[in-house]
């Protein structure tokens, strides 16, 4: 294998036999009879993927420092959660100052299949790749053939003239390189991007300026898509605008007029204009409860270990995706999530009499909210030690205060907030207050594995968020004990 790879790299070529792929259509969503609802996944040989990994590592090293920090897809240390919270936290900052925030969710059609090979090679040359490297990548792209496989039936072989195969190792990196310069054309705002999901967004104290900024950025993005041979479904674009207003707004996205939506799905999270995530979490709770009902009917056929696996796979998973994006929700929603966890624990331990706190202690576990706190502090540890993507460095800002640290965090800057709804309920505000509760030795440790092993067993004595407090009429929200569950 080493000789094969080295010989071909010396000749600036990629073997043709490794370019043959069987494409399996994988259903994405909606009606199964519509071919548009399937994703074409290429099944390549193991040898091809090993060769691609070598190329991937070399290209990735070259692109280090060149790829935009806004590109969160297919990159180590980046994820959809990072893209979401970078946008949502900016929205919260603007809303805390009585401003407005908005974004346009753009829908690209078959983005991976529209990449122009000549243009990709030209971009690689512009980024400083040598001629021999470009010849190797050109050899990888050209003379590539594929056929559709359904069960035991095959279509005719067809040459792949555009795009990169989905399911390859090198394809996602080449797609990021192809998309990289789009970020430079968004002049008036920022971009929330993950793979082919691109959302220009902006914040401003003036609603009219916000609309104008979004329209300009959308026009620039549309021009970029057109010049780079990508197709944008303007009819499927959605507009979200958050802030106090007495009417729905609309903007022009190309030739289409897009009216504001009450909520929209971005990267698997249903975002509403109030950032309450009520609809999103109610949907997750409903799905989790349906799985619990099925498990309850079949609990007598499963042992403890099997039930534990079922709950981890089909119940807890609904609350483990991008938790920091929807972490600030209502007390009512938190009670429903705890109720889901309680029902699961009762079935797991076959116990209908113990309280929720007793079941948690027996399980040695934590509530979903406490798990989210642990995830938040882990992200802050990464930010402190420069392990985070650059786009999150602006959220968890380093403390530059030089005076006494009695009322200031030693490591992070605590923001000045104006409102409870958006200012106090922000990752930066809550995270800094929770970080200061950690033992000093854990704040200073520089090993991620040591910090994770500690934080997975830690809960705050007094969580400062309003979810963990009890409301008393005439007095307000207070902490009655140090258990962290009140």
């Amino acid at each position: 294998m080493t000789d094969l790879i080295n010989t071909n790299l010396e000749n600036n070529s990629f073997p043709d036999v490794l370019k043959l792929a069987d494409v399996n259509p994988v259903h994405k969503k909606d009606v199964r009879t519509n071919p548009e609802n399937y994703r074409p996944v290429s099944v390549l040989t193991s040898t091809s993927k090993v060769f691609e990994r070598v190329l991937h590592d070399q290209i990735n090293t070259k692109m280090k420092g060149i790829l935009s920090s806004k590109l969160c897809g297919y990159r180590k240390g980046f994820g959809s959660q990072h893209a979401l919270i970078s946008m949502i936290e900016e929205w919260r900052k603007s809303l805390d100052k009585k401003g407005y925030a908005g974004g346009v969710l753009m829908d690209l059609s078959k983005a991976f299949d529209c990449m122009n090979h000549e243009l990709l090679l030209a971009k690689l040359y512009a980024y400083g790749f040598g001629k021999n490297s470009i010849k190797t990548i050109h050899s990888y792209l050209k003379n590539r053939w594929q056929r559709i496989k359904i069960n035991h039936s095959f279509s005719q072989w067809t040459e792949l003239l555009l795009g990169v195969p989905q399911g390859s190792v090198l394809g996602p990196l080449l797609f990021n390189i192809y998309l990289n310069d789009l970020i430079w054309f968004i002049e008036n705002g920022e971009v929330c991007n993950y793979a082919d999901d691109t959302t220009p967004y902006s914040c401003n104290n003036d609603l009219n300026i916000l609309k104008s900024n979004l329209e300009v950025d959308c026009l620039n993005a549309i021009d970029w898509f057109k010049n780079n041979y990508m197709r944008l479904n303007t009819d499927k674009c959605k507009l979200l605008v958050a802030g106090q207003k007495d009417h729905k707004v609309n903007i022009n996205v190309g030739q289409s007029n897009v009216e504001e939506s009450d909520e929209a799905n971005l990267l698997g999270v249903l975002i509403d204009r109030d950032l309450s995530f009520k609809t999103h979490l109610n949907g997750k709770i409903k799905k989790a409860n349906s799985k619990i009902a099925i498990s309850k009917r079949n609990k007598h056929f499963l042992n403890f270990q099997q039930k534990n696996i079922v709950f981890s796979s089909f119940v807890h998973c609904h609350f483990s995706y991008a938790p920091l994006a929807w972490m600030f929700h209502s007390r009512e929603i938190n009670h429903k999530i705890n109720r889901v966890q309680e029902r699961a624990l009762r079935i797991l331990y076959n116990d209908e009499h113990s309280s929720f706190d007793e079941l948690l202690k027996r399980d040695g576990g934590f509530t979903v909210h406490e798990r989210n706190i642990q995830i938040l502090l882990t992200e802050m540890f990464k930010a402190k030690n420069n392990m985070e993507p650059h786009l999150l460095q602006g959220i968890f800002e380093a403390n530059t205060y030089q005076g006494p640290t009695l009322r200031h965090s030693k490591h992070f800057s605590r923001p000045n907030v104006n409102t409870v709804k958006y200012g106090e309920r922000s990752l930066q505000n809550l995270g800094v207050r929770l970080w200061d509760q950690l033992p000093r030795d854990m704040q200073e440790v520089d090993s991620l594995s040591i910090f994770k092993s500690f934080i997975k067993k830690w809960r705050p004595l007094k969580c400062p968020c309003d979810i963990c407090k009890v409301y008393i009429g005439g007095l307000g929200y207070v902490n009655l004990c140090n258990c962290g569950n009140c």
Side-chain angles (χ1 to χ4, degrees):
M1 177 96 48
T2 302
D3 292 339
L4 169 69
I5 295 173
N6 288 334
T7 300
N8 282 276
L9 286 178
E10 290 174 0
N11 296 325
N12 304 318
S13 64
F14 193 91
D16 288 342
V17 70
L18 301 183
K19 302 175 189 177
L20 303 178
D22 290 334
V23 178
N24 288 340
V26 178
H27 182 253
K28 294 189 295 184
K29 59 180 180 179
D30 300 334
V31 183
R32 290 183 175 271
T33 55
N34 187 352
E36 297 292 327
N37 295 332
Y38 286 81
R39 178 180 287 108
V41 176
S42 299
V43 179
L44 298 161
T45 65
S46 300
T47 305
S48 173
K49 292 190 175 184
V50 172
F51 201 151
E52 287 185 56
R53 175 57 62 184
V54 174
L55 293 176
H56 178 280
D57 292 344
Q58 294 181 9
I59 295 173
N60 196 45
T61 301
K62 173 67 177 179
M63 292 301 297
K64 188 175 183 180
I66 299 177
L67 283 179
S68 171
S69 62
K70 299 294 181 181
L71 298 175
C72 294
Y74 315 117
R75 301 176 68 184
K76 184 177 181 180
F78 291 72
S80 56
Q81 176 171 250
H82 296 121
L84 285 167
I85 64 178
S86 66
M87 183 187 78
I88 292 172
E89 284 295 293
E90 286 297 320
W91 284 26
R92 286 196 178 108
K93 288 181 182 179
S94 180
L95 296 173
D96 185 53
K97 298 174 183 177
K98 306 298 182 183
Y100 300 91
V104 179
L105 285 68
M106 292 186 160
D107 183 73
L108 288 175
S109 177
K110 307 295 182 183
F112 273 79
D113 300 328
C114 294
M115 286 175 54
N116 183 280
H117 294 168
E118 287 74 18
L119 182 56
L120 172 62
L121 296 175
K123 292 185 178 187
L124 290 171
Y125 182 76
Y127 288 135
F129 281 74
K131 292 183 178 180
N132 289 335
S133 299
I134 292 177
K135 284 182 181 179
T136 304
I137 299 173
H138 181 239
S139 175
Y140 170 81
L141 294 171
K142 73 174 184 178
N143 199 29
R144 184 172 287 276
W145 295 78
Q146 63 183 25
R147 62 181 178 178
I148 306 297
K149 177 185 177 184
I150 300 179
N151 297 327
H152 299 289
S153 301
F154 297 88
S155 69
Q156 297 294 323
W157 287 100
T158 304
E159 187 175 5
L160 189 66
L161 301 177
L162 294 171
V164 290
Q166 297 188 51
S168 63
V169 174
L170 193 55
L173 175 58
L174 295 178
F175 180 80
N176 275 344
I177 296 173
Y178 193 85
L179 202 68
N180 188 52
D181 58 301
L182 167 64
I183 310 300
W184 304 340
F185 287 81
I186 307 301
E187 301 173 349
N188 299 317
E190 298 291 346
V191 179
C192 173
N193 172 270
Y194 187 88
D196 58 344
D197 286 308
T198 302
T199 302
Y201 67 89
S202 184
C203 301
N204 202 282
N205 289 331
D206 189 304
L207 182 59
N208 291 324
I209 295 178
L210 173 72
K211 291 167 57 179
S212 176
N213 290 342
L214 288 175
E215 287 181 342
V216 171
D217 285 343
C218 287
L219 183 61
N220 290 341
I222 290 172
D223 288 341
W224 188 93
F225 292 137
K226 182 179 179 181
N227 293 330
N228 287 266
Y229 307 99
M230 289 193 167
R231 294 176 293 173
L232 175 67
N233 297 323
T234 54
D235 295 336
K236 293 185 179 180
C237 291
K238 291 187 177 182
L239 170 66
L240 277 178
V241 178
Q244 294 294 330
K245 54 189 184 300
D246 55 4
H247 65 283
K248 284 191 174 183
V249 302
N250 55 359
I251 66 171
N252 294 320
V253 179
Q255 301 298 321
S256 301
N257 188 272
V258 181
E259 184 176 345
E260 174 191 353
S261 302
D262 293 330
E263 54 194 18
N265 192 310
L266 177 60
L267 301 179
V269 176
L270 199 59
I271 303 175
D272 56 87
R273 65 177 70 177
D274 295 325
L275 301 183
S276 67
F277 302 99
K278 183 176 181 180
T279 305
H280 173 76
L281 290 172
N282 277 329
K284 296 297 182 183
I285 291 168
K286 183 178 180 180
K287 289 181 180 179
N289 278 327
S290 67
K291 301 298 183 182
I292 290 176
I294 296 173
S295 301
K296 187 174 183 179
R297 290 195 297 268
N298 296 277
K299 65 179 182 179
H300 300 295
F301 303 101
L302 304 173
N303 59 34
F304 179 86
Q305 184 177 4
Q306 291 169 335
K307 286 189 288 186
N308 203 8
I309 294 174
V310 167
F311 289 136
S312 298
S313 304
F314 299 106
V315 178
H316 302 315
C317 65
H318 292 293
F319 307 106
S320 60
Y321 175 74
L324 299 187
W326 49 261
M327 180 176 179
F328 299 99
H329 48 74
S330 67
R331 295 164 61 83
E332 176 188 1
I333 292 294
N334 188 65
H335 176 74
K336 290 181 179 179
I337 295 174
N338 287 344
R339 178 59 181 157
V340 169
Q341 191 174 5
E342 180 183 351
R343 290 184 62 199
L345 289 174
R346 292 197 185 282
I347 296 172
L348 181 63
Y349 290 103
N350 195 26
D351 186 346
E352 296 295 333
H353 305 290
S354 300
S355 66
F356 181 42
D357 289 339
E358 291 172 340
L359 288 169
L360 280 176
K361 290 179 181 179
R362 184 176 179 181
D363 189 57
F366 298 82
T367 65
V368 171
H369 180 65
E370 290 169 342
R371 287 293 184 193
N372 292 346
I373 289 175
Q374 295 170 355
I375 294 171
L376 171 58
L377 292 174
T378 302
E379 294 295 327
M380 294 187 68
F381 174 87
K382 294 178 182 178
K384 171 182 171 291
N385 293 278
N386 296 318
M387 300 177 185
E388 280 288 84
H390 290 299
L391 77 168
L392 293 191
Q393 296 297 330
I395 296 178
F396 307 116
E397 298 177 357
N399 183 22
T400 57
Y401 178 73
Q402 300 298 323
T405 59
L406 296 178
R407 300 184 62 183
H408 297 267
S409 174
K410 180 179 180 181
H411 299 108
F412 296 100
S413 173
R414 183 181 298 182
N416 295 321
V417 300
N418 301 309
T419 65
V420 173
K421 187 174 183 180
Y422 300 112
E424 290 191 6
R425 295 178 183 176
S426 66
L427 295 179
Q428 184 182 20
N429 178 70
L430 178 61
V432 174
R433 299 174 70 181
L434 288 169
W435 181 266
D436 290 341
Q437 294 190 27
L438 290 174
R440 184 57 58 89
D441 59 335
M442 283 297 106
Q443 293 181 12
E444 301 294 343
V445 72
D446 55 4
S447 169
L448 180 60
S449 59
I450 293 176
F451 186 84
K452 279 186 174 181
S453 63
F454 166 79
I455 205 67
K456 287 180 180 179
K457 303 175 183 178
W458 181 85
R459 57 166 51 91
L461 295 178
K462 290 185 179 180
C463 177
C465 76
D466 53 5
I467 290 178
C468 297
K469 298 177 182 178
V470 173
Y471 180 80
I472 299 177
L475 184 60
Y477 291 104
V478 295
N479 269 321
L480 293 183
C481 66
N482 295 335
C483 68
N485 296 321
C486 295

